[in-house]
Amino acid sequence: MLVIKDLHASINGKEILKGINLNVKPGEVHAIMGPNGAGKSTMSNVLVGHPKYVVTKGSVTFNGKNLLDMAPEVRSHEGLFLSFQYPVEIPGVSMVNFMRSAINEQRKYHNLEPLAAGKFLKLMREKRAFVEMDSKLSNRAVNEGFSGGEKKRNEIFQMAMLEPTLAILDETDSGLDIDALRIVADGVNKLKAPDRSAIVITHYQRLLDYIKPDIIHVLYDGRIVKTAGPELALELEEKGYDWIKEELGE
Amino acid sequence: MNIEQQYIDLFEEQYDALCHNSTELMNAPRKEAMAHFEKQGIPKKGVERYRYTRLDDVLKVDYGVNMQCLLPKFNPYKEFECDAKGLGTDLHFLVNGVYYDKKPSDAEGVYVGSLKKFAAEHPERLRPYYNRLAAAQKDSMAEFNTAFVQDGLLLFVPRNTKVEDTIQLINILHSNVDMIIFRRILVVIEQGAEAKLLLCDHVTQQQRYFSSQVIEVFVGENAHLDIYDLEETHNLTARVNHVYVEQEGNSNVVINGTTLHNGLTRNDIYVDMIGQGANVELSGMAIADKEQHVDNHTFVRHKVPNCTSHELFKYVLDDVAVGAYSGRVLVERDAQKSYSEQSSKNLCLNSKAHMYTQPQLEIYADDVKCSHGATVGQLDEDALFYMMQRGIPKTEARMLLMFAFVSDVIDQIRIPSLQERLHHLTEQRFRGELDQCAGCALCQK
């Protein structure tokens, strides 16, 4: 589904990703862990096409297509979704208008008619229940005045609406209390399907108790330095990252 | 020959024709107004109030004048359908500044119709009002209007009368040659009365127009008046619009202006609050691109205690458009417990668009609450990217952001159908689909 080969990327001339290789197959959940500044968020931003990051080398194919050639909105239409670490507040743009535009643009891309108003609102209701989101929130402007937890819940709500084939969750657990974490994780798990994959970026084992990964990678200094099964997360939780650095001889 | 001299000569040569096609009440102040105009001239460089708007260039054009008050061959009530029908308004037309006759309203004592006609029949009733506020300010461009204006609209609502339907005045500029148009609007809302007035400016042909408008508004105690002003002209139109408002105690006034399409626009709004408990809400939105120029100048005077004033102006500027806002609030010594807020927020979509904003407070009382603020910024790149990640293309995302930006100005409108209509027009404008007003038979000719 997603094949990353020797990906190098920089921001403001500074190289952050220094040769990432990753292969995500349909139905798999990958976790990416790593110390601060390793390049985890850079990797997710590069994948969704953030204009601030420049890819200097390497390739990314998504379902056989060259992902790096696509505009950000096309990547979205092709099934890529990023749950942002810091969701943006957009004053004045209502959740309803925002989601309607997003859904209908996606449908347009797939040569489908826009969703009728009634059907759209029904879909909103259904998916809201998914993440136990208050109907009041969906009547407000996008993320405006939302608490940290509400913002993250809203990300998962949008994911449920757009039904991506590959979701990247960038520190979706940060700033969440235990109840919110469970709700968000449940939301993610309910979206699991044989043809859908996820990349979960996190610092902590905690989220991985809820969202069970198949494979865990450690990203360090712009490279994936270790790949193993779920047991790796426990080891990291216990020992931190220093032993990996030592293994690397640093 | 300087520009002023052309008009001074025209005034002298055509004085008899001017007066002949108007009425005594409107003729009386002409000479004095012309003398003031002659003395002050067109605002020159260095005149602070006109700092951001130069009028000499647009007045250099050799305009024709509709001195004979001729009406066009078409009947606007038939030809000009525009969007008026859906709004359910009581519709009136001024074509090139001349009132196009309509059967007078049935409502008791309410008069909506030709200012010239009413002034000819009942000059004594308008004498306390006509040109009182305008003359007091001695603005040369308003004096210019007083010198040449021959007709316009009068809205007179007697004591304790509520006019249900919104009164809509459509100003049509229609000419085969470049033309200067003068019109006057006089609004008298007596004690306890209520009315809503919608003004729409349209042009038909690709001529240069100079449109001079003076509105004088008298709002009595406990009276309510809303004025909505929508300009949808074209790049060759220059408009200078003076609005003078006098508010008595506990009166409530809303003035909301929208510049959707224009060439050069200068709106001057003066509000005098002379009775305690008066409230005024001024708001304005401008969407300008290419070489369009929009300047809103406001001056609110809190003369007595316990009055409130609110101002909200938002501009979206693209290409090499220029926007200006200067808002002055004066709180006089006795005006304790005044409340005033001013907000000017602006988007410059590229580095060549210019915005000048100048909120000002001048306070002589010591127990007041006044605030002002101004921002000039760009569209939020992070918000744009966030929307793109959700599949919304950049152009559409920009549209949503711009639309969101101005929507709170539109929300100041207290007529739901008009609010909806403006949301729609604004969206069309941002999408670039609004080169002509839709549905109007005249535009399509």
Side-chain angles (χ1 to χ4, degrees), chain A residues 48-51 72-73 76-77 80-82 84 90-93 98 102 105 143 155 158, chain B residues 380-394 396 400-401 403-405 407:
Chain A
V48 294
H50 196 292
E73 65 270 23
S76 168
H77 299 151
L80 189 61
F81 181 92
L82 171 64
F84 285 79
I90 315 178
V93 177
F98 171 63
E105 289 292 343
N143 292 323
E155 294 293 287
Q158 293 172 43
Chain B
D380 181 349
E381 291 291 331
D382 289 335
L384 282 175
F385 183 70
Y386 186 80
M387 292 198 264
M388 283 155 77
Q389 207 300 303
R390 299 302 186 244
I392 303 171
K394 194 166 188 175
E396 195 64 24
L400 280 174
L401 284 185
F403 194 52
F405 180 76
S407 64

Side-chain angles (χ1 to χ4, degrees), chain A residues 2-19:
Chain A
L2 181 76
V3 181
I4 304 178
K5 279 187 184 152
D6 193 28
L7 183 66
H8 290 248
S10 56
I11 180 167
N12 301 327
K14 187 172 182 250
E15 189 171 56
I16 308 283
L17 300 186
K18 301 172 181 173

